[in-house]
Each structure stands twice: as structure tokens, then as C-alpha cells.
Amino acid sequence: MDHFLYREGVLHAEDVPVAEIAAQVGTPFYCYSAATLTRHFRLFDEALDGLDHLVCFAMKSNSNLAVLKLLAAEGAGMDVVSGGEYARARAAGVPGDRIVFSGVGKTRDEMRAALEGGIRQFNVESEPEMRALSEVAAGMGQRAPIAIRVNPDVDARTHAKIATGKSENKFGIPIARAREVYAEAAALPGIEVVGIDVHIGSQLVELEPFELAYTKVAELTRALRDDGHDIRRLDLGGGLGIPYTRSNEAPPLPRDYGDLIKRTVGDLGCEVEIEPGRLISGNAGIMVSKVIYVKSGEGRDFLILDGAMNDLVRPSMYDAHHDIVPVIEPAAGAEQQPYDIVGPVCETGDTFARQRPMPVLQPDDLVAFRSAGAYGAVMASEYNSRPLIPEVLVQGDKWAVIRSRPSFEEMIGRDQVPDWLEADA
Ligand SMILES: *Cc1c(COP(=O)(O)O)cnc(C)c1O
């Protein structure tokens, strides 16, 4: 459920007509619904009712400062994967003890910054990383709290680029070697073991892979406790999928996911963390774009939009489907025709959809890409020297630009020409 609905024939973001925003900020742009973000966060929070828990928003899915502030005010923690994300979380006012640091390649500088600023725990993904963290922390007279990310070797049955829990993936340490690695951790001077971490992938549309993984984590918890480790926290990762098409079977609900967590690890007396990204932000955002041309090709018509793969890369990167809807609601029973929907970038991969049935559209008509709030704006680039597109947040009948569109001058102004090239102009 989200808050992008037609009212009196025009698409609204909560109480604001999308066309009104387009008229003021220009297209393309991202638009987020505060009510949807809040609602999705609360669904997770309530699903874990009865367990000592913290929902850490995976901010790689959407790291705009306003979005972070909104979720932080709801009590969210943050799952960060870089020094830049850590800095953003702190800038949004998230206290260090609500920030979990994930990622396979943390640098010593990133470790130091997080230890200085405060951190709930590092999710450690390898022995070399653990040894480096121990050195950094010990050098600062600290012990770094860690969970070790174990790779449970389960098939998440999702797109290959976002599956992370099989033994051939680069993530975590094999669960079969966990006891050995925890033994080393316990002996390191700059490390304090607090828990276990697992994250098996993204856009999971079934609960079974979670069940397999969490059952293995519960067994490991018992084994590690027998070995003398004080395992008091379980980070169970993110990854619950969202419906990208209206017609799709609905993915599992946070409530059922919460019940699964209680069933598999609820009796261990551990504090539980989860790290949902997409399910909180995905359906809380749309990307609005304008038709520039309608071009007739060999046996097919192309809708050429002003939005492109550099603005929303998921279709070209993950073969992802986004529902694309006209901002003016088509009349009931209106004629439909198939279009190839493309952007202006000079790549054949800059194709959002092929032979997609749409109502007949004209130049200057607006369309909205649904489910674009996660892995949308954050993955954008300036390829083809197209400035990053603005982000807008709607709350009720209020709206505000939360990241503005840079001018060409601002974009170009970041480049620097060495003086030996300036000299003899
Ligand atoms: C990407 C990621 C998440 C969030 O995944 P979603 O599918 O957006 O819920 C959580 N934890 C880790 C470690 C991740 O890499």
C-alpha cells in the first residue's frame, strides 16, 4: 500500500497533485511520500513487538537527509555501508549507538571515524578486516563491538546481482568456519564480540530462505555460547521484497516475517536487529518524467522520455520491472497500445520497458515510475552530463524539495583544469 493514488483523474502524492510539483521543479524528479515511509517503518517495528529489537534502515536504498531524519524521528537505527553513509546518518542526528556498520571493504579510516563518532556494532565480513579493526580500536584504547557476518549458504532465489547468501558470494565467512573465527575474535585485544550477523540477499519474495538461514543462526548461537562467547545480539539483515507490479503475487508481509523471527530465534534471549531497506523506501517513491517525443519505428513505437538510465538504473542493471503510469488517469476502457519506453542516453540499455501496453500518450504528457524510492536516486549518475535530478518529499498537503537540481554551471564547476592547460589559450 502506498500514497500515490489518482484523485479526480490526476495522480497525487498524498494530498498534492504530482503535476503541480512538476510545474515548479521541472522533470524528471523523484517524489517521496512521508506517510508511506513512516507506515512501512512502523510495520516492521510492530512485527517485532515483544522482542528487544532495533529496526535499522538500510540507508543505501535511500540516503537523503530528510528521509533519514523522518525515519530517525520514528526511532529507526541505520545500517550504513560506507564512511559517507556514516557521516550522513550522524548529520541526520542519528546517535552512534543506533548505527550498525556493514560492508565487505571497510577501510581503517572508516573504522576510526565510526569509533570516534560512536557505533553500535561493526558487522565484520572477513578475518583480515577483523584484525585491522582490532588494531585500529586497540590503537585508540577501545574495543570495537562486532558481530561476524556468517554466510549460511542458502539460496535466496532472487536476481543473481542481489543474492548474497550463497557460498560463492563475496559476503561474510562460511558458517562452517564460524566457531574458529569467533575463537580468534575473542583473543584479539581490540575486539568485543556481541553477536552474529546474516544477510542473504535482496528482493526476497518467499520466507523459506529466511527460515533456513535463521535456523542456522540459532544453532550457531547455541554452539558459540557453548564455546563461551556472550552472544547477545542477532542482526538478521534486510531483504524482504516488495511488489513491483500491481498484478504480482504479494510478497510476504512484515508481520509474517516477524512471526518467523520469533519462531526461529525468539527463545534465545537475544536483542534482534533487522536491516530493511527496499521494503521501507521502495514503494514510498516515484520518479516523474515527461514524454519528449513519440517516435514510430519498424513495427514499434517508442516513447522517448526526459528520464534515463542514469536517473533510474534498475531496469538496465537488474532487468527490473517498474510500473509506469500516466499522471492523468486514462478513462475507463481507454485504448491501449504497446510502446518501447526509453530515455535519451546513447545506449541501447537505456530502455525502461519493451512493448509495454500504455494509454496513447503525446509529447509533454507526464508519467510516473512506481516503486522508485529504493535504489533509485542513490544509484543515479551524471552520465551524458545529465545533472542529478531533484528529490521532493510530500507530507500531507505540504511538499518541499529535499535535494535540488544542480545547474550546468554547478555540475561543470566541480571539474578542475590544470594550469598548464589554461596557460596558452
Ligand atoms: C542491501 C543490504 C540491506 C538491505 O536490503 P533490502 O533488500 O533493501 O532490504 C541490508 N543489509 C545489508 C548488509 C545490505 O547489504
Side-chain angles (χ1 to χ4, degrees):
M1 203 221 101
D2 62 47
H3 291 78
F4 300 101
L5 300 170
Y6 290 113
R7 285 193 201 164
E8 284 150 21
V10 295
L11 188 67
H12 280 62
E14 302 194 18
D15 300 332
V16 181
V18 166
E20 178 189 312
I21 303 173
Q24 290 195 43
V25 306
T27 53
F29 65 95
Y30 280 99
C31 176
Y32 309 129
S33 152
T36 313
L37 288 163
T38 312
R39 180 183 133 80
H40 289 169
F41 172 78
R42 289 182 188 162
L43 284 179
F44 274 111
D45 205 31
E46 286 158 14
L48 296 182
D49 251 356
L51 282 182
D52 185 9
H53 70 274
L54 182 65
V55 179
C56 294
F57 176 55
M59 58 179 275
K60 75 175 195 275
S61 70
N62 187 322
S63 56
N64 187 287
L65 210 57
V67 170
L68 303 185
K69 274 208 176 253
L70 176 80
L71 291 171
E74 289 288 318
M78 296 292 155
D79 173 52
V80 308
V81 292
S82 72
E85 285 195 352
Y86 180 83
R88 270 181 187 273
R90 293 309 313 259
V94 182
D97 64 7
R98 289 180 164 266
I99 302 176
V100 168
F101 205 141
S102 299
V104 288
K106 299 173 205 77
T107 65
R108 286 169 186 253
D109 284 345
E110 289 174 325
M111 294 168 179
R112 206 169 287 117
L115 285 166
E116 265 163 18
I119 191 81
R120 181 180 184 82
Q121 103 220 6
F122 292 90
N123 289 336
V124 166
E125 300 226 10
S126 68
E127 290 140 293
E129 184 201 357
M130 183 169 82
R131 293 170 198 142
L133 179 60
S134 176
E135 278 176 28
V136 171
M140 298 168 68
Q142 294 192 30
R143 289 170 89 89
I146 69 158
I148 296 178
R149 178 166 176 182
V150 294
N151 186 324
D153 195 22
V154 302
D155 185 354
R157 294 199 285 265
T158 181
H159 190 282
K161 283 186 186 161
I162 50 177
T164 60
K166 283 290 284 175
S167 54
E168 67 260 31
N169 301 131
K170 69 177 177 181
F171 298 98
I173 57 149
I175 198 161
R177 288 193 42 240
R179 292 172 78 170
E180 188 188 318
V181 181
Y182 273 89
E184 178 179 348
L188 287 172
I191 294 292
E192 183 190 2
V193 169
V194 299
I196 307 174
D197 171 45
V198 69
H199 170 75
I200 56 175
S202 206
Q203 186 53 19
L204 272 70
V205 292
E206 305 161 304
L207 287 178
E208 199 193 341
F210 289 115
E211 176 125 29
L212 290 172
Y214 297 169
T215 303
K216 290 189 181 189
V217 167
E219 284 164 19
L220 180 62
T221 304
R222 294 191 183 95
L224 291 175
R225 283 178 171 169
D226 286 346
D227 291 348
H229 301 285
D230 180 13
I231 302 298
R232 51 197 184 269
R233 195 181 282 167
L234 301 178
D235 183 332
L236 300 175
L240 202 55
I242 61 170
Y244 277 98
T245 55
R246 285 282 174 96
S247 44
N248 240 2
E249 247 180 76
L253 300 172
R255 181 174 4 97
D256 296 330
Y257 175 69
D259 288 345
L260 160 71
I261 289 175
K262 290 174 193 167
R263 192 163 69 238
T264 48
V265 303
D267 62 343
L268 295 167
C270 285
E271 185 180 2
V272 167
E273 295 159 356
I274 53 170
E275 306 169 343
R278 189 189 312 266
L279 205 142
I280 290 179
S281 56
N283 283 327
I286 56 174
M287 183 181 81
V288 180
S289 184
K290 190 164 73 180
V291 178
I292 309 177
Y293 297 115
V294 183
K295 169 175 161 175
S296 298
E298 246 353 285
R300 59 182 63 211
D301 289 335
F302 294 94
L303 273 186
I304 302 175
L305 305 182
D306 61 359
M309 65 186 285
N310 69 297
D311 306 311
L312 177 64
V313 78
R314 297 190 66 260
S316 48
M317 183 148 165
Y318 307 118
D319 311 308
H321 173 100
H322 285 268
D323 279 353
I324 304 170
V325 299
V327 164
I328 304 294
E329 187 175 23
E335 184 196 339
Q336 295 220 322
Q337 77 161 83
Y339 290 105
D340 280 17
I341 304 177
V342 303
V345 161
C346 305
E347 300 256 0
T348 304
D350 187 21
T351 298
F352 292 119
R354 290 179 213 282
Q355 295 298 291
R356 176 76 62 87
M358 296 283 289
V360 176
L361 289 168
Q362 311 291 337
D364 291 335
D365 284 347
L366 296 175
V367 295
F369 288 71
R370 300 180 57 85
S371 317
Y375 307 106
V378 286
M379 293 182 91
S381 78
E382 290 182 337
Y383 188 38
N384 281 212
S385 285
R386 296 166 47 86
L388 294 181
I389 66 176
E391 295 172 276
V392 166
L393 183 67
V394 174
Q395 184 162 336
D397 59 3
K398 293 185 296 214
W399 66 274
V401 172
I402 56 172
R403 188 177 70 196
S404 57
R405 191 191 308 275
S407 65
F408 289 156
E409 290 68 29
E410 287 169 297
M411 176 174 66
I412 300 165
R414 293 200 307 269
D415 294 6
Q416 290 175 335
V417 178
D419 43 359
W420 76 82
L421 285 178
E422 298 274 29
D424 56 4

